[in-house]
């Protein structure tokens, strides 16, 4: 869909639509990402990649809950030295910004991985400081403002691309971590990663996921994610990618009104399919036209007026 209303600039990246592929879904290969671009995504975020390969957790790693998914994949990834080939290949075929999601077990690892991703052609880096269930990385870093600031500073000193920090909702006050990230130099924020959750099988009387605990995504978390975006927009001056349960155009509009400049879509692709991008884009465009707005930007944060 080619509506000028949907064009926007996010932290220096030109997006043709306000819908981006969220990390963790289909963001492994250049070909799968290209199919998401054809479906209407304005940007892509890869699966998180680290310095060394990881196999991730044993099955089951994902289960369907009533209103979403609970996953504990355990950061499976080939390691950045292998993944740079995919980034280079992706850059030869993709026509939208490629945001590489990066994790590490120290600030140095985050910076070294981000550096390799940027050298290979990443248009931006998303720092995963919010995976809820892998020890010594993810939310163990992102829930601690001092550690988070150290990671952001080190990465910012290493790469020239925009740096987006993906925040954890598993905190008392998300504005504290948002503020710490932006003060340390983050160019933008993604709100939010999954919410700590679990499932138990009444028949076996055991947790279902091999890791026992996982992260809940999908429609179940949308109101929580929306509140996180609203809270951050009120206190922190940085562009926000809304992430959490976006399934319909109305969800996307709500995130924009709360203060997001764009939204990420993940679980809706798994629960439906990639036609969700086109459906959301068309709906947002029709909403803007009907309400007399010329661009997405005109409704960002509009729900905050009093
Ligand atoms: O790989 C995972 O288990 C995972 C990651 Br890295 C993350 O950031 N969020 C999530 O729900 N799962």
């Amino acid at each position: 869909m080619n509506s000028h209303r949907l064009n926007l600039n996010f932290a220096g990246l030109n997006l043709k639509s306000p819908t981006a592929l969220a990390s963790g879904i289909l963001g492994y290969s250049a070909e799968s990402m290209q199919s998401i671009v054809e479906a209407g995504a304005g940007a892509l975020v890869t699966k998180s990649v680290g310095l060394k390969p990881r196999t991730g957790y044993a099955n089951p790693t994902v289960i369907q809950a009533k209103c979403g998914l609970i996953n504990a994949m355990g950061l499976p990834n080939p390691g950045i030295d292998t993944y740079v080939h995919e980034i280079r290949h992706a850059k030869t075929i993709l026509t939208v910004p490629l945001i590489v999601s990066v994790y590490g077990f120290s600030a140095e690892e985050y910076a070294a991985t981000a550096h390799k991703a940027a050298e290979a052609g990443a248009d931006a880096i998303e720092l995963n400081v919010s995976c809820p269930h892998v020890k010594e990385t993810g939310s163990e870093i992102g829930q601690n403002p001092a550690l988070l600031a150290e990671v952001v500073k080190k990465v910012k000193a290493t790469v020239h691309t925009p740096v987006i920090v993906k925040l954890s909702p598993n905190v008392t006050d998300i504005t504290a971590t948002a503020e710490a990230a932006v003060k340390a130099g983050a160019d933008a924020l993604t709100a939010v990663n999954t919410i700590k959750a679990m499932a138990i099988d009444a028949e076996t009387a055991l947790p279902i996921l091999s890791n026992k605990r996982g992260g809940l995504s999908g429609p179940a978390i949308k109101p929580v994610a929306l509140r996180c975006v609203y809270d951050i927009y009120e206190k922190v001056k940085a562009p926000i990618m809304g992430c959490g349960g976006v399934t319909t155009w109305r969800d996307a509009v709500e995130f924009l009104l709360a203060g997001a400049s764009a939204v990420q879509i993940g679980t809706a692709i798994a629960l439906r399919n990639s036609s969700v991008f086109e459906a959301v884009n068309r709906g947002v465009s029709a909403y803007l036209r009907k309400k007399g707005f010329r661009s997405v930007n005109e409704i960002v944060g509009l729900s905050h007026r009093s």
Side-chain angles (χ1 to χ4, degrees), residues 139-185:
S139 58
E140 287 193 18
I141 290 173
Q143 288 165 338
N144 178 330
L147 265 182
L148 173 59
E150 190 195 335
V151 168
V152 174
K153 277 185 194 151
K154 218 156 232 134
V155 173
K156 279 296 290 178
T158 310
V159 301
H160 300 293
T161 64
V163 172
I164 306 164
V165 173
K166 186 165 184 177
L167 296 169
S168 172
N170 303 306
V171 291
T172 309
D173 177 10
I174 197 164
T175 67
T177 46
E179 256 168 355
V182 172
K183 219 170 135 212

Side-chain angles (χ1 to χ4, degrees), residues 83-94:
Y83 197 66
V84 287
H85 301 294
E86 208 59 47
I87 297 173
R88 289 204 189 95
H89 177 41
K91 285 301 296 171
T92 65
I93 60 173
L94 298 178

Side-chain angles (χ1 to χ4, degrees), residues 47-48 57 71-76 128 130-134 193-194 215:
K47 172 76 184 139
S48 297
Y57 298 141
N71 89 84
M73 308 296 295
L75 280 163
N128 184 348
S130 44
C131 175
H133 45 250
V134 178
N193 207 314
T194 52

Side-chain angles (χ1 to χ4, degrees), residues 148 165 167 173-191 228-241 258-261 300-301 304:
L148 173 59
V165 173
L167 296 169
D173 177 10
I174 197 164
T175 67
T177 46
E179 256 168 355
V182 172
K183 219 170 135 212
D187 300 285
L189 303 165
T190 298
C228 288
V229 169
Y230 192 89
D231 283 355
I232 296 167
Y233 186 86
E234 210 169 54
K235 288 237 177 102
V236 183
K237 288 272 152 292
I240 307 164
M241 284 250 190
S261 300
V300 172
H304 290 259

Side-chain angles (χ1 to χ4, degrees), residues 12-255:
L13 305 173
N14 287 318
L15 273 58
K16 284 186 221 151
S17 78
T19 50
L21 173 70
S23 181
I25 305 255
L26 292 175
Y28 289 91
S29 77
E31 275 72 23
S32 64
M33 290 193 281
Q34 175 58 18
S35 75
I36 295 294
V37 174
E38 284 161 15
L44 302 160
V45 188
T46 68
K47 172 76 184 139
S48 297
V49 61
L51 210 47
K52 301 201 185 102
R54 267 176 72 95
T55 46
Y57 298 141
N59 283 328
T61 51
V62 188
I63 55 166
Q64 191 158 349
K66 275 208 181 106
C67 255
L69 298 175
I70 308 175
N71 89 84
M73 308 296 295
L75 280 163
N77 79 99
I80 189 66
D81 288 334
T82 299
Y83 197 66
V84 287
H85 301 294
E86 208 59 47
I87 297 173
R88 289 204 189 95
H89 177 41
K91 285 301 296 171
T92 65
I93 60 173
L94 298 178
T95 48
V96 306
L98 178 66
I99 303 167
V100 176
S101 171
V102 159
Y103 75 90
F105 291 97
S106 65
E108 288 73 21
E109 278 195 23
Y110 272 95
T113 308
H115 178 67
K116 290 183 182 199
E119 286 246 292
D123 296 298
I125 300 294
E126 183 178 84
L127 296 179
N128 184 348
V129 288
S130 44
C131 175
H133 45 250
V134 178
K135 296 211 177 322
E136 291 168 35
T137 182
S139 58
E140 287 193 18
I141 290 173
Q143 288 165 338
N144 178 330
L147 265 182
L148 173 59
E150 190 195 335
V151 168
V152 174
K153 277 185 194 151
K154 218 156 232 134
V155 173
K156 279 296 290 178
T158 310
V159 301
H160 300 293
T161 64
V163 172
I164 306 164
V165 173
K166 186 165 184 177
L167 296 169
S168 172
N170 303 306
V171 291
T172 309
D173 177 10
I174 197 164
T175 67
T177 46
E179 256 168 355
V182 172
K183 219 170 135 212
D187 300 285
L189 303 165
T190 298
V192 288
N193 207 314
T194 52
I195 297 181
K196 269 185 163 216
M198 76 178 300
I200 292 176
D201 183 344
E203 298 308 320
T204 61
L206 287 169
I208 298 175
L209 294 169
S210 74
N211 187 58
K212 300 188 176 89
R213 296 168 185 84
L216 177 64
S217 61
I221 75 164
K222 196 202 83 181
V224 177
L226 198 62
R227 186 269 305 160
C228 288
V229 169
Y230 192 89
D231 283 355
I232 296 167
Y233 186 86
E234 210 169 54
K235 288 237 177 102
V236 183
K237 288 272 152 292
I240 307 164
M241 284 250 190
C243 181
V246 175
T247 309
T248 66
W249 68 263
R250 211 174 266 281
D251 297 329
V253 164
E254 288 170 22
F255 271 97

Side-chain angles (χ1 to χ4, degrees), residues 1-8 15-21 36-43 96 246-253 256 261-265 274-289 296:
M1 127 154 288
N2 239 342
S3 161
H4 290 306
R5 273 192 196 84
L6 295 183
N7 292 347
L8 63 115
L15 273 58
K16 284 186 221 151
S17 78
T19 50
L21 173 70
I36 295 294
V37 174
E38 284 161 15
V96 306
V246 175
T247 309
T248 66
W249 68 263
R250 211 174 266 281
D251 297 329
V253 164
L256 297 168
S261 300
V263 295
Q264 297 184 357
I265 299 180
S274 58
S275 66
V276 60
F277 287 98
E278 191 70 24
V280 171
N281 290 342
R282 276 186 196 283
V284 172
S285 185
Y287 173 87
L288 294 174
R289 194 174 55 242
V296 167

